[in-house]
């Protein structure tokens, strides 16, 4: 992930000493998701926790170091991360009409030989089915990846929300 020098991602990673790419991978391990070997090797990830409670404690430890105002700012940042719009549905809506027009153009080709026509249409439908299956496989993989990332940020948001409530109740008691 290419981060700008002054991005919010970099700011919060430095502030909390928390690398989101690595933490998302650990979260996925906690949730029993498959991590590709090349990715695990690249980050040299070792799980730090084996239960959700341990992970929650780890996150609470990280956010306990920041002030109440910074915690509210962090909550806004996490809310932004968890509500990002997924790009794939937009892409499908944009590309679908182009695919349909391309298929129409392919089916309008006329051959003098009946066998050549049949082979041509079988080849086009074979490519369409293989391409469709490949696209569906990749889209479902991306969708699962996006959902897991969203759950990661939702869980952090919930932990931050509890911490804000805890801190506000503590100040009322004093």
């Amino acid at each position: 992930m290419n981060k700008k020098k002054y991005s919010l991602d970099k700011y919060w990673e430095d502030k909390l000493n928390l690398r989101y790419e690595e933490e998302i991978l650990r979260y996925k391990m906690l949730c029993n998701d498959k991590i590709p070997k090349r990715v695990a090797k690249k980050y040299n990830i070792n799980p730090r926790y084996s239960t959700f409670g341990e992970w929650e404690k780890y996150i609470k430890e990280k956010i306990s170091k920041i002030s109440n105002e910074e915690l509210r700012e962090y909550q806004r940042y996490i809310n932004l991360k968890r509500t990002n719009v997924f790009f794939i549905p937009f892409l499908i809506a944009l590309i679908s009409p182009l695919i349909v027009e391309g298929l129409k153009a392919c089916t309008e080709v006329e051959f003098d030989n009946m066998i050549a026509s049949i082979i041509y249409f079988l080849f086009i439908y074979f490519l369409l089915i293989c391409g469709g299956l490949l696209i569906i496989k990749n889209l479902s993989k991306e969708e699962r990846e996006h959902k897991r990332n969203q759950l990661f940020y939702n869980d952090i948001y919930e932990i931050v929300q509890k911490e804000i409530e805890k801190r506000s109740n503590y100040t009322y008691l004093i």
Side-chain angles (χ1 to χ4, degrees):
M1 181 181 261
N2 187 8
K3 294 182 181 149
K4 295 179 182 175
K5 190 174 180 180
Y6 299 107
S7 74
L8 278 175
D9 292 331
K10 182 164 178 27
Y11 173 81
W12 286 113
E13 282 187 353
D14 292 344
K15 183 79 172 174
L16 298 171
N17 191 22
L18 188 72
R19 304 292 168 247
Y20 288 107
E21 289 179 9
E22 294 175 13
E23 290 308 318
I24 287 172
L25 288 174
R26 285 190 185 99
Y27 183 82
K28 288 177 183 179
M29 288 176 172
L30 181 65
C31 298
N32 292 326
D33 281 357
K34 293 180 181 177
I35 307 294
K37 289 181 183 179
R38 64 177 167 76
V39 173
K41 187 177 180 180
K42 176 183 175 184
Y43 290 102
N44 196 16
I45 299 295
N46 295 319
R48 293 182 179 162
Y49 27 77
S50 56
T51 65
F52 183 80
E54 289 176 9
W55 177 76
E56 184 175 19
K57 183 178 175 183
Y58 172 76
I59 297 297
K60 283 181 179 180
E61 181 182 303
K62 292 290 187 179
I63 63 175
S64 69
K65 301 171 185 173
I66 59 178
S67 69
N68 290 346
E69 185 178 322
E70 288 174 323
L71 188 61
R72 284 189 289 280
E73 286 297 321
Y74 185 61
Q75 182 186 31
R76 289 183 189 107
Y77 165 75
I78 292 297
N79 193 42
L80 173 72
K81 296 295 275 186
R82 74 187 187 121
T83 57
N84 278 343
V85 177
F86 197 45
F87 183 66
I88 298 295
F90 174 74
L91 188 63
I92 290 172
L94 188 66
I95 292 178
S96 294
L98 299 174
I99 293 172
V100 170
E101 288 300 317
L103 287 175
K104 281 183 184 177
C106 287
T107 57
E108 291 175 357
V109 174
E110 293 183 19
F111 291 98
D112 294 336
N113 187 345
M114 184 66 149
I115 295 175
S117 300
I118 292 171
I119 291 173
Y120 176 77
F121 287 118
L122 288 176
F123 180 71
I124 293 295
Y125 288 123
F126 175 75
L127 287 179
L128 179 66
I129 289 170
C130 289
L133 290 175
L134 184 63
I135 289 170
I136 289 170
K137 179 182 174 188
N138 287 334
L139 286 177
S140 64
K141 180 182 174 186
E142 289 294 322
E143 183 69 24
R144 278 192 313 272
E145 192 79 17
H146 175 71
K147 291 276 187 196
R148 185 62 69 201
N149 291 349
Q150 196 172 27
L151 286 173
F152 171 78
Y153 288 113
N154 284 344
D155 285 343
I156 290 180
Y157 183 85
E158 189 177 303
I159 292 167
V160 169
Q161 183 67 30
K162 287 178 185 176
E163 184 67 21
I164 288 173
E165 289 172 6
K166 179 180 151 188
R167 288 184 185 186
S168 65
N169 287 341
Y170 181 72
T171 55
Y172 287 132
L173 293 175
I174 296 177

